[in-house]
Amino acid sequence: MKKAWRIKKNSEFQEVFKKGASFANRQLVIYYLHKSEQNHYRVGLSVSKKIGNAVVRNQVKRYIRQVFIELDLNIKKSYDIIIIARKPTKEMDFHQTKKSVNHLLYKTNLLEKK
């Protein structure tokens, strides 16, 4: 995932939290905000220290980033998306993470119809 497609600044996170919509399942929470001036979606990840040590947190973030790389063509453009990991994510493998992210994107209508 290109660094230009990531949300890094606290002010950008806060804007999505305040103005955007959200949806959650047991493993993840998604916040999303439509930005018509963008030509590509941007993703921000938040994995708390409650999830585990740095190795576990980085693994969870790598899994989620890889899911977005694989789904790149199917995700609607011009959205800011924030994914927050919950505790069950530390026991999940890549395929479970992909299924969970897919579920969130489908329920929030961020996946384009084929």
Side-chain angles (χ1 to χ4, degrees):
M1 179 183 306
K2 293 183 180 178
K3 292 204 178 201
W5 298 347
R6 293 187 190 171
I7 300 172
K8 290 295 225 181
K9 295 181 181 174
N10 184 43
S11 59
E12 294 171 339
F13 270 86
Q14 295 305 319
E15 180 184 12
V16 176
F17 288 142
K18 288 181 178 142
K19 297 179 182 175
S22 67
F23 187 79
N25 58 21
R26 290 184 188 273
Q27 301 87 14
L28 300 166
V29 180
I30 185 170
Y31 285 86
Y32 56 99
L33 178 64
H34 186 265
K35 295 261 192 120
S36 56
E37 69 274 3
Q38 287 179 190
N39 57 2
H40 199 278
Y41 66 87
R42 296 188 313 158
V43 177
L45 301 175
S46 176
V47 183
S48 169
K49 286 186 178 181
K50 293 178 184 177
I51 302 295
N53 62 16
V55 175
V56 174
R57 294 194 312 268
N58 288 334
Q59 182 183 41
V60 169
K61 288 189 276 189
R62 276 196 311 273
Y63 285 167
I64 295 171
R65 276 192 214 109
Q66 185 61 37
V67 170
F68 277 94
I69 290 169
E70 290 183 10
L71 295 174
D72 184 43
L73 298 174
N74 299 330
I75 299 173
K76 289 184 179 177
K77 309 301 180 211
S78 68
Y79 275 91
D80 277 355
I81 301 169
I82 295 177
I83 303 283
I84 300 173
R86 290 181 167 174
K87 277 195 177 180
T89 55
K90 68 180 172 185
E91 282 102 25
M92 292 168 54
D93 63 9
F94 173 72
H95 297 290
Q96 292 169 322
T97 305
K98 184 174 181 178
K99 186 176 177 183
S100 184
V101 172
N102 255 333
H103 174 254
L104 286 176
L105 293 173
Y106 175 76
K107 286 292 192 179
T108 55
N109 293 320
L110 293 176
L111 285 179
E112 291 180 348
K113 307 288 187 254
K114 294 182 180 177

